[in-house]
Amino acid sequence: MTQTQTPETSRAPELHLFQAVVGGLRQDLFRDASAYRPLQPTAVNPKLARFVPKSIRPHLGLFPHAVVAFLALIVFAMAYEEFNVGFAPLALLASCAPPVIVLLTLVRPVLAFWASLASAPVIGYFTGFDSGWPYSHVTFFSHLVVLGVVAARTRPRTAAWMWLVTAAFSLFTEMMLGIGRGSDSIPLLFTAALLLLFVTVLQVRRQADREVIAQQTVTAQERSRRTLLEERTTIARELHDVVAHHMSVVAIQAEAAPYRVENPPPELEQAFLTIRENAVAALTELRRILGVVRAEDYEAPDAPQPTLADLDSLVRNVQEAGLVVEKTVTGAVRELPQGVELSAYRIVQEALSNVLRHAPGAAAKVEVSYVLGGLGLRIANGPARGLVKPSPGAGHGITGMRERVTMLGGEMTAEATEDGGYEVAAFVPVSREESDQ
């Protein structure tokens, strides 16, 4: 069965190409043609700045502006010399138009291009068209200046469109508006083509240099980051080996300690049992977390992550270590996203560990609040009591808790209280849609 192709379908690619061409022209030369686009100061090359007096160096970024102003001055001098004294007021006004249009390229480049084209026949009329139609000497030079400046401020496609529009305008004025004089369109188009080609090559070269510099910067950053990650991986592996070894020794010694004492009291046996269980749990979790750095093909064991439902066991664990903890849960208990549950558990775990280390003998309170917009946590303790000295720390625990809360988009405060204790308060936002998942 053969399919017939309709004329509309056969013309679709050509129509699409025509629409793309017209769309590019409209975007480059018609859309926001009068938009205000001031020329920004350029970056100064430090190597070239060394040869310039110090008083001028801060203004080197305005060098392109000075060049355009100098060209506008030349255009004004040419126009002043060419205007017709018989129409002195209008001719003088016409002679001021080309330099103004050149200066307009500094703030409204596309509008300056259209103004240069539209003003060429008018200015040529007042100067007598001594050099040809439709461009006089002054408009010939000023239009080349406008083309070069606008091309340097836009992209290469705009330069091509400007040349084509200039060619179409020159052809139209010669064929439809000719006044019997010679034409200077061909010299203008040839010179403009060379100028625009030169500017476009410089633009492409400058863009390529910027891309190379950007790529080199990214490569250097990636190399530095990779080196840092390799160093951290090495440290993590060493940490895993050292801590795993010592935790294994602690677990074995805690298990064997009751057998070295004749008729040990039950409290002592329970204490060593708790030490062994904590050591084994810490060793298992350490291997699960840091094991990934041991090898690329490492597979973490499929063990459930702790949640807020495991807080009771955590509280019992620290109570057996001698910490008095009071846990309070407010609000309607509901299941939260796994990341929120795990982070909340780790925050409470780290906060209670800090109480054990930094405030021995103090009582602690754990408050978990299920509110409509998320989850609130508060872990507070009083001042240290007893003979055991607080253990110094580097503050990484607080930093880790803050990073967890920030990652979830929450807020956290950690500060000393008026009674000499410490309080950690955090709020993690949880939307209703996340809670229902």
Side-chain angles (χ1 to χ4, degrees):
M1 181 177 179
T2 60
Q3 295 181 352
T4 59
Q5 191 176 27
T6 62
E8 291 79 5
T9 305
S10 62
R11 289 197 300 267
E14 291 78 5
L15 180 60
H16 180 72
L17 178 60
F18 176 76
Q19 291 175 346
V21 170
V22 174
L25 173 62
R26 183 171 62 251
Q27 181 179 2
D28 291 337
L29 294 182
F30 288 95
R31 182 178 300 173
D32 297 331
S34 60
Y36 181 69
R37 302 171 185 173
L39 178 61
Q40 301 298 326
T42 60
V44 180
N45 190 341
K47 295 181 179 179
L48 297 178
R50 294 182 302 175
F51 303 99
V52 179
K54 293 183 179 180
S55 59
I56 304 178
R57 290 178 187 176
H59 308 289
L60 284 179
L62 300 177
F63 179 74
H65 303 71
V67 172
V68 175
F70 178 72
L71 294 175
L73 181 61
I74 295 177
V75 170
F76 176 77
M78 295 175 60
Y80 184 80
E81 185 179 353
E82 282 193 5
F83 77 85
N84 189 345
V85 294
F87 301 94
L90 294 178
L92 182 61
L93 180 62
S95 66
C96 294
V100 171
I101 294 175
V102 172
L103 293 176
L104 187 63
T105 59
L106 296 175
V107 290
R108 304 182 191 273
V110 179
L111 180 62
F113 166 73
W114 289 114
S116 178
L117 275 184
S119 62
V122 178
I123 296 174
Y125 175 79
F126 287 106
T127 56
F129 298 107
D130 295 333
S131 60
W133 169 262
Y135 303 100
S136 64
H137 287 127
V138 59
T139 54
F140 188 99
F141 180 74
S142 65
H143 192 64
L144 289 177
V145 173
V146 170
L147 288 176
V149 176
V150 176
R153 296 200 54 196
T154 55
R155 49 185 174 178
R157 191 178 71 176
T158 305
W161 281 124
M162 288 193 300
W163 189 89
L164 291 176
V165 170
T166 301
F169 173 80
S170 302
L171 180 63
F172 174 78
T173 53
E174 287 184 19
M175 297 181 61
M176 301 298 178
L177 304 177
I179 59 174
R181 293 179 178 272
S183 172
D184 53 4
S185 298
I186 299 301
L188 174 70
L189 293 177
F190 178 76
T191 308
L194 295 179
L195 175 65
L196 294 177
L197 180 62
F198 176 74
V199 174
T200 301
V201 170
L202 289 182
Q203 268 192 313
V204 173
R205 173 70 179 274
R206 189 183 303 114
Q207 180 64 25
D209 292 340
R210 284 197 294 262
E211 292 179 357
V212 169
I213 294 175
Q215 186 62 36
Q216 291 176 347
T217 303
V218 172
T219 303
Q221 292 176 350
E222 290 295 333
R223 186 183 299 111
S224 176
R225 188 177 305 164
R226 185 172 63 250
T227 303
L228 179 61
L229 289 177
E230 290 176 354
E231 293 177 355
R232 288 184 175 180
T233 301
T234 303
I235 295 174
R237 287 175 176 172
E238 294 295 331
L239 177 65
H240 177 270
D241 293 342
V242 173
V243 175
H245 168 72
H246 288 287
M247 293 301 294
S248 300
V249 172
V250 169
I252 295 173
Q253 290 180 345
E255 183 177 10
Y259 299 101
R260 298 186 180 185
V261 180
E262 186 176 356
N263 298 324
E267 295 81 2
L268 182 61
E269 292 183 352
Q270 183 61 36
F272 280 117
L273 178 61
T274 303
I275 294 174
R276 183 183 181 280
E277 290 177 351
N278 288 334
V280 172
L283 185 60
T284 302
E285 192 163 347
L286 179 67
R287 286 172 176 169
R288 183 176 68 246
I289 297 175
L290 297 182
V292 70
V293 302
R294 300 293 296 172
E296 294 181 357
D297 57 349
Y298 177 83
E299 294 184 1
D302 189 14
Q305 296 288 345
T307 63
L308 291 175
D310 300 316
L311 282 183
D312 291 335
S313 60
L314 175 63
V315 170
R316 287 195 300 268
N317 194 359
V318 295
Q319 285 176 341
E320 293 174 356
L323 179 63
V324 179
V325 181
E326 178 184 351
K327 175 192 167 189
T328 304
V329 179
T330 59
V333 179
R334 64 186 186 276
E335 185 177 355
L336 300 176
Q338 182 180 2
V340 176
E341 294 264 355
L342 175 61
S343 296
Y345 179 89
R346 294 300 187 198
I347 291 172
V348 176
Q349 183 185 43
E350 182 61 34
L352 293 178
S353 299
N354 286 343
V355 177
L356 285 172
R357 288 194 297 267
H358 307 310
K365 293 182 180 180
V366 177
E367 297 179 3
V368 181
S369 302
Y370 291 87
V371 296
L372 184 61
L375 177 70
L377 297 173
R378 179 177 176 271
I379 305 94
N381 62 273
R385 302 180 185 277
L387 300 177
V388 180
K389 294 183 179 181
S391 176
H396 296 302
I398 297 294
T399 302
M401 288 188 284
R402 199 180 302 277
E403 290 175 351
R404 288 182 181 273
V405 174
T406 303
M407 181 179 61
L408 296 173
E411 298 178 354
M412 173 184 154
T413 58
E415 56 188 3
T417 58
E418 295 180 357
D419 60 353
Y422 204 81
E423 178 184 274
V424 174
F427 176 78
V428 178
V430 180
S431 62
R432 180 176 300 178
E433 292 77 9
E434 292 177 332
S435 300
D436 295 339
Q437 293 178 352

